[in-house]
Amino acid sequence: MRIHAFHHLYQQRQALSTKVFNARGSKVDRCNHCQVASKHCICDYQPDIDSDVAVMLIVSDNEVFKPSNTGRLILDTVKEGYAFQWSRTEPDEQMLALLSDPNYQPLVVFPADYVDNKARVVSSELKPFCDGKKPLLILLDGSWREARRIFRKSPYLDNLPVVSIQPQAISQYMMRKSDNDQHLATAEVAIMVLEQLGETLASTTLERWFCVFREAYMLSKTRIKPDQTRPELKRYLTTQLENSQPTD
């Protein structure tokens, strides 16, 4: 299993925490990396693909501790990934350096309806817009309320271009329900933007990995009767095997 930036952020926050974060399902014995019940751990099946994109997660205060978080799934899939704790007054210096690195084209992923300056919203194809630079997708990882606060109160994001997505289907996110069915999980948003960038393998792999995580997560729920045969995991492994076969 590949340890990535979200895992490191989780470990850092745990080391600094002075009290236990009791999220829903806190009594379940969970894997420290994938955060599903240890007996249903999916770490051995982590994706191993290459992509020509980088991802930056800006994580709200307690989001890193929530076992239902899906941002980690994006960094499971996209190998060049970064995760930073959001701070209104003390932004991480490494994060700021990445945002100003001329090798990257930062793209904030956020609904256009909440962008005051509509000129920031990218209306053209994303690949040509990046003009040879590596796309750096910036995803605000938290509840919808927290994401809006990060977007409004982060001056270093104010002048960056914005990629807006228009969800065509109701969210498949079952672990933590939003009041609005059109509010997607962070991983679901990334799936759509990766597709827009032409990163089809990364998009489809993340979509299937998201399904595997959701299935494994729900196995520890006592109020429902999940399918113990784990069909999503089987479907994912079959697809991974097909993708690894050499082509003529």
Side-chain angles (χ1 to χ4, degrees):
M1 188 195 76
R2 179 173 51 85
I3 302 297
H4 52 62
F6 195 98
H7 299 138
H8 291 308
L9 180 60
Y10 177 81
Q11 292 165 357
Q12 291 165 9
R13 288 296 309 279
Q14 267 198 324
L16 294 173
S17 181
T18 57
K19 62 179 182 179
V20 176
F21 178 78
N22 289 318
R24 287 184 180 179
S26 59
K27 295 181 180 180
V28 176
D29 177 26
R30 298 186 182 277
C31 168
N32 281 331
H33 295 109
C34 68
Q35 288 295 309
V36 302
S38 297
K39 62 182 177 181
H40 303 305
C41 175
I42 58 175
C43 289
D44 287 345
Y45 312 113
Q46 185 188 62
D48 183 16
I49 62 167
D50 294 318
S51 58
D52 191 24
V53 65
V55 170
M56 176 189 291
L57 298 177
I58 301 179
V59 188
S60 65
D61 190 37
N62 286 321
E63 186 65 27
V64 70
F65 291 125
K66 294 178 180 177
S68 55
N69 172 273
T70 66
R72 67 167 62 82
L73 305 177
I74 306 169
L75 301 198
D76 284 344
T77 307
V78 177
K79 290 182 179 178
E80 186 175 353
Y82 307 92
F84 300 101
Q85 188 68 57
W86 181 68
S87 171
R88 185 177 65 83
T89 57
E90 298 180 357
D92 190 285
E93 291 296 329
Q94 184 188 357
M95 179 186 69
L96 297 179
L98 279 167
L99 294 177
S100 61
D101 190 322
N103 294 307
Y104 295 97
Q105 176 56 66
L107 299 165
V108 183
V109 182
F110 209 71
D113 291 348
Y114 296 87
V115 182
D116 293 331
N117 179 7
K118 301 304 182 186
R120 293 176 60 194
V121 180
V122 181
S123 57
S124 59
E125 293 291 328
L126 295 185
K127 275 289 189 182
F129 177 83
C130 292
D131 194 25
K133 296 181 179 180
K134 176 173 278 194
L136 177 63
L137 300 179
I138 302 165
L139 294 144
L140 312 182
D141 196 14
S143 69
W144 174 233
R145 179 179 295 179
E146 291 166 338
R148 281 185 296 173
R149 183 165 184 259
I150 294 171
F151 186 77
R152 292 196 314 267
K153 296 184 177 296
S154 303
Y156 46 87
L157 300 179
D158 285 349
N159 296 314
L160 297 179
V162 174
V163 174
S164 179
I165 58 103
Q166 297 296 329
Q168 302 300 315
I170 291 176
S171 174
Q172 297 301 304
Y173 190 48
M174 298 162 58
M175 291 85 74
R176 194 194 322 160
K177 197 65 175 173
S178 169
D179 292 335
N180 187 331
D181 284 334
Q182 295 301 309
H183 291 169
L184 305 180
T186 308
E188 291 178 298
V189 173
I191 289 164
M192 299 180 70
V193 180
L194 288 169
E195 182 64 31
Q196 288 185 38
L197 279 165
E199 293 285 343
T200 304
L201 179 59
S203 177
T204 55
T205 301
L206 177 55
E207 182 175 19
R208 290 167 183 140
W209 186 234
F210 172 74
C211 290
V212 170
F213 170 71
R214 184 181 62 204
E215 176 182 71
Y217 187 93
M218 298 303 287
L219 287 174
S220 63
K221 296 285 189 179
T222 56
R223 58 183 173 81
I224 61 172
K225 293 182 179 180
D227 189 340
Q228 298 288 341
T229 66
R230 304 181 74 168
E232 293 294 351
L233 178 58
K234 291 177 181 177
R235 200 161 14 246
Y236 167 81
L237 292 176
T238 298
T239 305
Q240 292 296 97
L241 181 61
E242 291 172 350
N243 288 337
S244 67
Q245 296 299 321
T247 57
D248 294 334

